[in-house]
Amino acid sequence: MNIIEFIKQPWAWYVAGPLIGLTVPTLMLLGNKTFGISANLRHVCAACLPANVKFFKYDWKKEIWNFYFAIGIIIGGIIAFNLLSNSNPIQINSKLATELAGYGITNISGMLPEQLFSWQILFSLKGFLLFALGGFLVGFGSRYAGGCTSGHAISGLSNLQLPSLIATCCFMVGGFIMANFILPLILSL
Amino acid sequence: MQNTNSNTDFEVRSLDTICINESHLQHRWYHNLKYLFVGLLFGVVFIKAEIISWYRIQEMFRFQSFHMYGVIGSAVVVGIISILIIKKFNIKTIYGEKVEFHNKKFNKGQIIGGLLFGFGWAITGACPGPIFAQIGSGITVMIVTLFFAIFGTWVYGFFREKLPH
């Protein structure tokens, strides 16, 4: 098996996790930067529509490195998807597959269910809740919490910050409640 | 009215200390390309380890798979060890600056905001990092999610003073 074939397989957690963890010291040593992606959303607000809101009145140009980081993630996505993907369908837990089949989601070949994540479904109540409400909660919640998975769960916990541990626990509790009790209602629409 | 450059952002930082650029050095724009490269590798990891997959997030919140716990857990362990090494040996940045660390202060936002973020994470199967990788991998409808995430951030900023912290 050559190296490209090897890379094309799905990567195990013990490969991906340490690589993500190394992002923290890499950004620190490259220029004293703190790993945190949701801050980009705030910088976009500060750059495009500060609207005299105090929270958006700061020198966002100082944080422009983070836009480069985000654009890098997009390019990485393009490269990995087009050059490094394998043709095998994703392996998912059979219990999850059974549950999703109950909502009519049967095509589980890609990374995301095509029957949900498409432009056609956007203009339905289900699509509105999935994309608009979901996106809104991600943006509102991460800023309210002062960070997202990268800022709190990875950066904050790496620096042994108790507030980040509290935030991470709340991320998990919120996700647990939504996935098990509320999302099934949305998917049943 | 003050211009934006004179805003030192101290009040904001006390509640929102992450994601702040600590470097005091000024560089030409192309110095930022190194962050683009780190982001690129990061995006590849997101795709290849299926962290962008909505299914993996659903499995995580249903305790049906260890994968995401392994990813986040091992990332934190490596991060903790890295920071300990940087602190112990006082390792400087490539420009010779001292690496700065800031302690976060607790406020109610970490609980309320954390729960709301968890709701959004479970619905979309995406936190802000994977959204960018999903868009790159051709799931263009996530541009809508990104737009609403920015909108949500703006609404938070607008009502910030009225929200419990």
Side-chain angles (χ1 to χ4, degrees):
Chain A
M1 183 163 30
N2 70 35
I3 182 106
I4 294 293
E5 288 303 311
F6 186 69
I7 291 174
K8 278 185 174 182
Q9 296 176 307
W11 298 2
W13 62 265
Y14 48 82
V15 177
L19 286 173
I20 292 172
L22 285 175
T23 310
V24 174
T26 304
L27 291 176
M28 282 176 174
L29 297 179
L30 283 180
N32 242 335
K33 307 291 189 266
T34 305
F35 175 46
I37 299 167
S38 65
N40 277 314
L41 308 176
R42 180 182 173 193
H43 303 330
V44 170
C45 294
C48 300
L49 195 65
N52 223 12
V53 174
K54 208 165 146 202
F55 191 62
F56 301 126
K57 288 177 74 181
Y58 60 95
D59 184 13
W60 60 271
K61 289 198 181 100
K62 257 187 79 189
E63 317 295 331
I64 212 161
W65 71 273
N66 216 340
F67 288 143
Y68 280 82
F69 188 75
I71 293 165
I73 297 176
I74 296 178
I75 299 171
I78 296 171
I79 291 174
F81 181 73
N82 291 294
L83 303 176
L84 301 174
S85 60
N86 59 8
S87 50
N88 301 330
I90 193 166
Q91 300 293 315
I92 73 168
N93 187 295
S94 58
K95 278 189 208 143
L96 181 64
T98 311
E99 186 191 331
L100 294 178
Y103 311 123
I105 301 166
T106 47
N107 180 359
I108 45 177
S109 56
M111 287 267 191
L112 287 80
E114 285 171 28
Q115 287 156 296
L116 288 181
F117 290 84
S118 69
W119 286 95
Q120 287 91 321
I121 210 155
L122 176 64
F123 300 100
S124 63
L125 178 60
K126 193 197 279 187
F128 178 80
L129 293 174
L130 281 173
F131 302 113
L133 178 70
F136 183 90
L137 287 170
V138 165
F140 187 91
S142 62
R143 208 68 276 125
Y144 199 170
C148 62
T149 332
S150 54
H152 273 311
I154 311 283
S155 288
L157 290 185
S158 293
N159 196 22
L160 306 175
Q161 297 295 305
L162 183 61
S164 293
L165 182 62
I166 294 168
T168 305
C169 291
C170 291
F171 296 165
M172 301 309 294
V173 170
F176 176 83
I177 294 169
M178 176 56 71
N180 292 284
F181 304 112
I182 309 174
L183 187 61
L185 305 176
I186 298 176
L187 294 177
S188 302
L189 286 172
Chain B
M1 208 51 218
Q2 297 172 315
N3 70 32
T4 49
N5 287 335
S6 64
N7 185 337
T8 47
D9 205 27
F10 288 123
E11 183 268 339
V12 166
R13 289 182 69 159
S14 64
L15 290 179
D16 200 40
T17 47
I18 65 151
C19 312
I20 298 291
N21 177 359
E22 292 300 349
S23 177
H24 303 292
L25 299 173
Q26 299 287 325
H27 294 292
R28 303 291 300 272
W29 67 272
Y30 51 81
H31 284 259
N32 284 319
L33 289 176
K34 56 185 182 290
Y35 304 113
L36 186 136
F37 185 70
V38 178
L40 190 156
L41 295 178
F42 196 69
V44 171
V45 174
F46 271 168
I47 305 269
K48 288 315 298 171
E50 298 172 340
I51 294 162
I52 69 155
S53 170
W54 185 83
Y55 302 114
R56 291 283 170 265
I57 306 302
Q58 300 306 323
E59 286 173 345
M60 167 173 69
F61 288 133
R62 288 171 174 75
F63 305 110
Q64 291 169 340
S65 161
F66 177 73
H67 185 76
M68 287 303 301
Y69 295 101
V71 167
I72 297 173
S74 58
V76 170
V77 170
V78 169
I80 289 173
I81 295 169
S82 307
I83 288 183
L84 282 177
I85 292 173
I86 289 175
K87 283 181 175 168
K88 174 128 177 81
F89 297 100
N90 198 17
I91 299 173
K92 302 278 199 299
T93 73
I94 58 169
Y95 298 107
E97 275 191 308
K98 184 176 165 40
V99 177
E100 290 180 46
F101 297 94
H102 285 273
N103 290 329
K104 294 183 207 289
K105 287 202 185 85
F106 172 74
N107 70 77
K108 291 190 210 91
Q110 282 134 15
I111 295 174
I112 307 166
L115 289 171
L116 294 174
F117 174 80
F119 292 161
W121 190 11
I123 296 178
T124 60
C127 28
I131 289 179
F132 292 106
Q134 287 171 337
I135 293 170
S137 71
I139 305 154
T140 50
V141 73
M142 293 307 281
I143 292 170
V144 176
T145 305
L146 178 62
F147 174 83
F148 276 94
I150 293 168
F151 176 62
T153 304
W154 192 90
V155 170
Y156 167 72
F158 190 80
F159 290 108
R160 185 167 199 263
E161 323 266 305
K162 297 189 180 71
L163 296 168
H165 276 100

